[in-house]
Amino acid sequence: MSKLESKEALPLDSNPTVDPKESQPIIINHDGSVTRLVKIPNTEPSQDPNHIVLTKDVPLNPINKTFIRLFLPRIALHNSKKLPLIVYYHGGGFIFFSASSTINHDFCVKLAEKIGVVVASVDYRLAPEYRLPVAYDDAVEALHWLRTTSEKWVHQFCDVSNCYLMGSSAGGNIAYQASLRVVKTVDEVDFDQFKIRGLILHHPFFGGFKRTNTELRFENDRALPLKASDLMWEFALPEGVGRDHKFCNPMVVDKEEDKCFDRIKRLGLKILLTGCDGDPLIDRQVEFVKMLRSKGIEVLYVKPEITEEHMLTRGYLKEDSDLILLTETEPN
């Protein structure tokens, strides 16, 4: 029996809802490999001149088989002004999806088209084959690649001094953790040209040992039932750690994180966090916002108007609805 197989049957440390006997979306094979039973459609990149947004894949780390999918609005080809850069980390509970997944591809196309930015969507390694912090390593490696690359679309069309890190769901968690890692090295690494201006955390995926009211109230949520959340953390966290590890629970703050918060303030990074009523994770997100504000960090917390579409596709912005319906809301 592989280490992954034995780990699969271990109980979680926070009132687990996952029954190993139930049907799972992931199978750990006897040789330790992983079979994902969820079929996810992919979209190939295209530079068709009839498309409003051009796309292409560039290697990030060939050894790790990671890449970045670039999204370039066609108007940039005829505009001398360089466009802001959004580095996007996709969702999927750390265990599903990629930068080529159709739902992520389509979202990044809309983002590039509607806002007028270049999007660099990072394809990071997934758990349980690669547990955290591997996704964070890939996230930071992508930033250093963007900072130093001579790739034409980045060098010619991106204003790398106007960069934002963005992530949906687990990608929001990754964007936050990547920012902490970057500010730790900002005094040692030359970031004169490449400047991160802020974070856009869309329904960030956080957890913890103690269940929140909304997790219990929405235990059978269609988009993120508690069983699915438990399974994702069980597969994603380093072996042997609990749910109050800082990768899962951002309320766990040590001296290193406190230093990071001071640097975030010094650099003037701003944070936009979006959530919505009816999301099982909303209590954790509100608590996270309060913690950041207590550290003196500027955070804009917004909740878009909740619709059936949002409930069914939570974790992914749809069309331009969130750009129009965002209204500033203070955490209670």
Side-chain angles (χ1 to χ4, degrees), residues 313-326:
T313 59
R314 186 158 54 251
Y316 301 92
L317 295 171
K318 301 298 290 182
E319 302 293 334
D320 58 351
S321 58
D322 287 274
L323 305 178
I324 295 173
L325 299 174
L326 289 180

Side-chain angles (χ1 to χ4, degrees), residues 111 143 164 200 278 329:
L111 189 64
L143 299 179
Y164 293 82
I200 305 169
T329 307

Side-chain angles (χ1 to χ4, degrees), residues 48-55 71-77 109-110 112-114:
D48 185 330
N50 294 316
H51 289 178
I52 296 176
V53 176
L54 310 178
T55 57
F71 297 78
L72 179 70
R74 189 155 46 88
I75 59 170
L77 301 176
V109 166
K110 293 290 184 182
E113 174 190 354
K114 299 292 183 179

Side-chain angles (χ1 to χ4, degrees), residues 71-210:
F71 297 78
L72 179 70
R74 189 155 46 88
I75 59 170
L77 301 176
H78 312 289
N79 191 341
S80 60
K81 185 178 179 179
K82 293 186 177 182
L83 300 179
L85 172 64
I86 289 182
V87 183
Y88 181 71
Y89 304 106
H90 66 79
F94 305 104
I95 63 176
F96 290 117
F97 297 107
S98 73
S100 62
S101 297
T102 298
I103 192 169
N104 296 323
H105 176 93
D106 290 350
F107 164 66
C108 289
V109 166
K110 293 290 184 182
L111 189 64
E113 174 190 354
K114 299 292 183 179
I115 302 181
V117 295
V118 176
V119 179
S121 180
V122 181
D123 191 75
Y124 54 86
R125 286 171 288 176
L126 300 176
E129 300 97 319
Y130 303 99
R131 293 174 177 269
L132 297 176
V134 170
Y136 304 150
D137 296 338
D138 294 343
V140 174
E141 185 175 25
L143 299 179
H144 285 291
W145 183 88
L146 289 163
R147 180 177 65 87
T148 59
T149 185
S150 58
E151 210 298 317
K152 179 180 178 181
W153 281 16
V154 177
H155 184 71
Q156 186 171 339
F157 302 115
C158 288
D159 178 4
V160 295
S161 69
N162 193 15
C163 173
Y164 293 82
L165 308 188
M166 180 177 185
S168 298
S169 192
N173 178 304
I174 293 172
Y176 173 64
Q177 290 290 341
S179 72
L180 295 180
R181 289 181 169 218
V182 168
V183 298
K184 285 180 183 178
T185 62
V186 73
D187 292 331
E188 292 79 30
V189 179
D190 181 11
F191 285 95
D192 284 348
Q193 300 301 319
F194 186 88
K195 293 187 181 298
I196 299 171
R197 300 295 183 178
L199 310 179
I200 305 169
L201 309 180
H202 181 244
H203 301 273
F205 184 40
F206 297 126
F209 178 86
K210 185 179 179 181

